[in-house]
Amino acid sequence: MRSLLPSKLKLAFTATALGGGAAAATIANSDDPATTLKLCTAVPLRLFRLSAPLLPLPLYSLMGLPEDSDERVRVKHEVHTRSARRLEELCFKNGGIYIKLGQHVGQLDYLVPLEYAKTMRESMLNRCPTSTYDQVCQVVKKELGGAPEEIFEEFDPVPIASASLAQVHVARTHDGKKVAVKVQHTHMTDTAAADFATVDVIVNTLHRFFPSFDYRWLVDEVRETSPKELDFLNEAKNSVKCMDNFRRLSPHIADYVYAPTVYWSLSTTKVLTMEFMEGAQVNDLKSIQKLGIQPHDISKLVSQTFAEMMFKHGFVHCDPHAANLLVRALPSGRSSIFGRRKPQLVLLDHGLYKELDTYTRTNYAALWKALVLADAKSIKENCMKFGAGEDLYAFFTSILTMKPWERVIDPAVDHLAIHGPSELQIYGPEYFSQVTELLHRLPRVILLMMKTNDCLRSVDNALLQRPSLESFLIIGRVSSEAVMNEKLSRAKSLFSLISIWLEEISLEARFIVMQVALWVLQFQKSLSLKPLSSFEIG
């Protein structure tokens, strides 16, 4: 025990010392010493906050307890819960980017102990800090040239929502339009650079002391994506491009997906004015039922929407957690043949998008097609294209589907259906070294796709609260269409075209059989009958 404590102390003080040394060097060479001084005094403070949680060494509580004993399990749960609360408190103290990181941890069920994921997931979306109204006025006046009550006919000083980077106020324009005004937190400009520097120092220091802890890719990702998220004009352009993609490439569902209209004359890099949207949050089942919309229909629409983005558009909204997805009844008033109101999915917060080049998009589509069809050979081939290798390709598929390899290649039609908590969640900590190595090998864009999958899985679980039988079938159809379209674009002869068309007909026939089989399974489950075991993908 004694030998470990100095190592942890050395890590904490080394991190702070490195930050202090970097600060002094930066000030000495800066063209703007005043601003740089503000930055460099912030870095050591944040480093100390990050380092301090390492000192208590709570896992010493486990020493002397037998492996697999009930007492060890109980104490371990208490330790993880206590540490998760400390991390939660740290994120709220530092704010900004740290809350974004906390939100990300909340989606890493396969990597971190459940206590951390659950704690972050429950708090990071609903308890974000807010700016004072005076601070909001400062930002609006600087960006738009006047106080909120001058720029707008009405402006509610109390925000209706607050996120890690900004908060939203309800307002009304001088021509009577109700709008949502997104105002960046004032401290973001001052602390963003400090946050980048702090995260960089601490992650590199941890890697130096613990080589297996290699999350330098996360620093690179934060450094690349955060400036884009802090530019609200970039967010506005993303929303426009997203809707244009649906109209051009997915016209069959374009009416069912919506992004708020941007008021460009009232928007800058730090203030974004958008059409105010009325709707229910995608996981608010009570409000959804009041709208007369079936959660099952929303689940299908969410799956279809993001499958189209990933496999056809190659331009993907990478932050689809529940707070960023609203549901309302389709404005046209159209209903299904059974008289049910049809839903429209409203996409909010377009700050984080990722573009997939043709090679990545097509191979990712081919991988999901193979996963849905339980094609072991094709699964392996496409995993290898992303660098998973002979040793980790099966594990990669398990991370994507939250299923063990045996279930991934099971020919049963519902082999990928989500049954409550993921089957890997319980055993996540055992896989730490494999996860770390896999994250090191995979392209960073695939890491964001994995995060998007995790968000969507969480939304699906909240909506249905039962096994999801159709989401993966939808993913299979859309990914197959994307693969077929790419093959058609490269066909150079009539024989090639005929061959592709025949393959497409064969695939469609398989999906029809799978759909019928799923309907039968759903009927059996509704009657509490024993499911038939003969429905297989074939």
Side-chain angles (χ1 to χ4, degrees):
M1 183 187 303
R2 291 179 180 176
S3 64
L4 288 176
L5 184 57
S7 174
K8 296 288 185 176
L9 285 169
K10 182 164 54 172
L11 171 59
F13 289 118
T14 299
T16 308
L18 283 172
T26 305
I27 293 172
N29 294 283
S30 173
D31 294 329
D32 185 1
T35 301
T36 307
L37 177 61
K38 184 188 296 184
L39 162 64
C40 292
T41 53
V43 172
L45 173 61
R46 287 164 182 260
L47 278 170
F48 182 76
R49 286 178 181 169
L50 281 166
S51 304
L54 296 173
L55 299 180
L57 301 176
L59 287 178
Y60 283 161
S61 306
L62 300 177
M63 295 189 68
L65 297 178
E67 292 285 347
D68 300 324
S69 67
D70 291 341
E71 181 65 10
R72 185 182 180 89
V73 171
R74 183 188 65 78
V75 172
K76 191 174 183 179
H77 170 70
E78 291 176 354
V79 166
H80 282 318
T81 300
R82 194 160 58 246
S83 298
R85 294 300 180 193
R86 286 177 180 164
L87 181 60
E88 175 190 37
E89 182 182 357
L90 170 71
C91 289
F92 282 124
K93 278 185 178 178
N94 279 350
I97 289 170
Y98 293 90
I99 292 178
K100 286 299 251 186
L101 291 173
Q103 291 172 350
H104 190 58
V105 170
Q107 295 152 5
L108 298 178
D109 292 357
Y110 52 83
L111 176 57
V112 301
L114 179 59
E115 293 85 355
Y116 287 87
K118 184 179 180 181
T119 298
M120 296 298 133
R121 191 161 50 235
E122 290 176 349
S123 64
M124 290 293 147
L125 294 180
N126 302 315
R127 288 177 46 204
C128 291
T130 59
S131 297
T132 66
Y133 185 59
D134 285 342
Q135 291 172 323
V136 169
C137 290
Q138 291 174 21
V139 176
V140 172
K141 187 171 183 178
K142 182 178 178 181
E143 295 296 312
L144 299 180
E149 57 270 19
E150 298 171 345
I151 302 298
F152 299 94
E153 182 70 26
E154 299 174 10
F155 190 94
D156 190 340
V158 180
I160 59 168
S162 182
S164 56
L165 307 182
Q167 62 192 49
V168 179
H169 293 258
V170 178
R172 194 172 295 278
T173 63
H174 287 293
D175 60 357
K177 298 289 178 61
K178 189 177 182 181
V179 294
V181 185
K182 184 175 180 179
V183 183
Q184 194 169 118
H185 294 313
T186 53
H187 68 271
M188 288 309 305
T189 303
D190 293 335
T191 64
D195 290 336
F196 295 143
T198 305
V199 173
D200 186 56
V201 170
I202 200 68
V203 170
N204 278 283
T205 303
L206 281 168
H207 178 62
R208 182 181 295 274
F209 281 86
F210 308 103
S212 63
F213 186 94
D214 189 4
Y215 286 84
R216 291 171 294 178
W217 63 268
L218 183 57
V219 177
D220 294 335
E221 193 60 46
V222 170
R223 183 179 290 114
E224 178 184 328
T225 60
S226 291
K228 295 178 181 178
E229 291 188 85
L230 289 169
D231 181 354
F232 290 171
L233 289 180
N234 177 69
E235 177 180 342
K237 293 173 185 175
N238 285 344
S239 69
V240 172
K241 182 175 180 178
C242 171
M243 295 312 301
D244 182 58
N245 283 341
F246 276 101
R247 285 187 289 268
R248 291 187 304 108
L249 305 173
S250 306
H252 54 295
I253 67 164
D255 289 342
Y256 299 92
V257 184
Y258 191 79
T261 301
V262 175
Y263 289 77
W264 293 96
S265 62
L266 297 173
S267 299
T268 70
T269 57
K270 293 181 175 61
V271 175
L272 178 59
T273 304
M274 305 160 287
E275 171 187 9
F276 184 84
M277 303 304 305
E278 302 279 0
Q281 196 166 291
V282 74
N283 62 350
D284 185 351
L285 294 181
K286 289 184 179 179
S287 296
I288 287 171
Q289 289 170 354
K290 289 179 181 177
L291 293 173
I293 301 173
Q294 295 296 316
H296 178 258
D297 292 336
I298 299 171
S299 172
K300 289 168 60 178
L301 178 57
V302 171
S303 297
Q304 182 86 30
T305 298
F306 282 87
E308 298 280 338
M309 284 189 192
M310 287 188 284
F311 306 132
K312 291 184 179 179
H313 306 176
F315 188 66
V316 188
H317 187 308
C318 289
D319 203 14
H321 57 70
N324 288 338
L325 303 177
L326 292 183
V327 178
R328 64 178 183 176
L330 194 65
S332 67
R334 277 183 288 173
S335 58
S336 69
I337 57 175
F338 301 106
R340 296 198 304 246
R341 301 185 76 180
K342 290 189 175 182
Q344 185 180 64
L345 183 66
V346 180
L347 303 177
L348 305 177
D349 195 349
H350 297 262
L352 182 58
Y353 271 74
K354 210 67 177 179
E355 291 200 58
L356 308 182
D357 58 41
T358 301
Y359 176 86
T360 301
R361 178 180 59 78
T362 304
N363 287 327
Y364 194 58
L367 172 57
W368 273 104
K369 169 180 171 252
L371 287 169
V372 173
L373 297 177
D375 184 343
K377 180 181 178 182
S378 184
I379 291 172
K380 180 178 179 180
E381 288 175 354
N382 286 286
C383 285
M384 301 279 278
K385 290 177 182 178
F386 290 121
E390 289 275 357
D391 55 335
L392 289 177
Y393 76 88
F395 187 69
F396 179 32
T397 62
S398 293
I399 292 293
L400 284 174
T401 62
M402 286 292 118
K403 298 286 179 182
W405 174 251
E406 293 75 19
R407 285 283 291 158
V408 171
I409 58 174
D410 187 336
V413 71
D414 62 342
H415 68 298
L416 295 182
I418 299 171
H419 297 270
S422 69
E423 295 174 34
L424 287 184
Q425 195 173 55
I426 300 172
Y427 308 104
E430 297 181 5
Y431 300 140
F432 185 82
S433 60
Q434 292 104 307
V435 170
T436 302
E437 178 61 24
L438 184 63
L439 296 181
H440 178 69
R441 293 185 194 178
L442 294 175
R444 275 166 44 203
V445 68
I446 297 301
L447 300 182
L448 267 183
M449 293 303 100
M450 290 166 65
K451 176 197 171 188
T452 301
N453 288 338
D454 294 338
C455 289
L456 296 175
R457 185 181 294 113
S458 177
V459 167
D460 214 37
N461 283 337
L463 277 170
L464 299 183
Q465 300 181 333
R466 60 176 172 76
S468 172
L469 296 176
E470 290 198 61
S471 295
F472 286 107
L473 182 59
I474 291 170
I475 290 171
R477 280 182 179 274
V478 179
S479 60
S480 296
E481 289 172 9
V483 172
M484 292 297 104
N485 289 341
E486 182 61 23
K487 287 184 177 181
L488 285 170
S489 70
R490 291 187 281 107
K492 297 181 179 179
S493 67
L494 180 60
F495 178 79
S496 297
L497 287 173
I498 293 174
S499 176
I500 294 168
W501 286 333
L502 290 175
E503 182 182 356
E504 195 168 4
I505 292 171
S506 175
L507 274 172
E508 183 57 30
R510 293 178 70 180
F511 282 121
I512 290 173
V513 171
M514 290 172 67
Q515 181 68 76
V516 172
L518 288 179
W519 285 337
V520 173
L521 283 173
Q522 287 176 324
F523 179 71
Q524 291 174 329
K525 290 177 186 295
S526 68
L527 297 179
S528 299
L529 298 175
K530 183 179 179 180
L532 297 177
S533 59
S534 58
F535 288 123
E536 297 185 349
I537 302 169

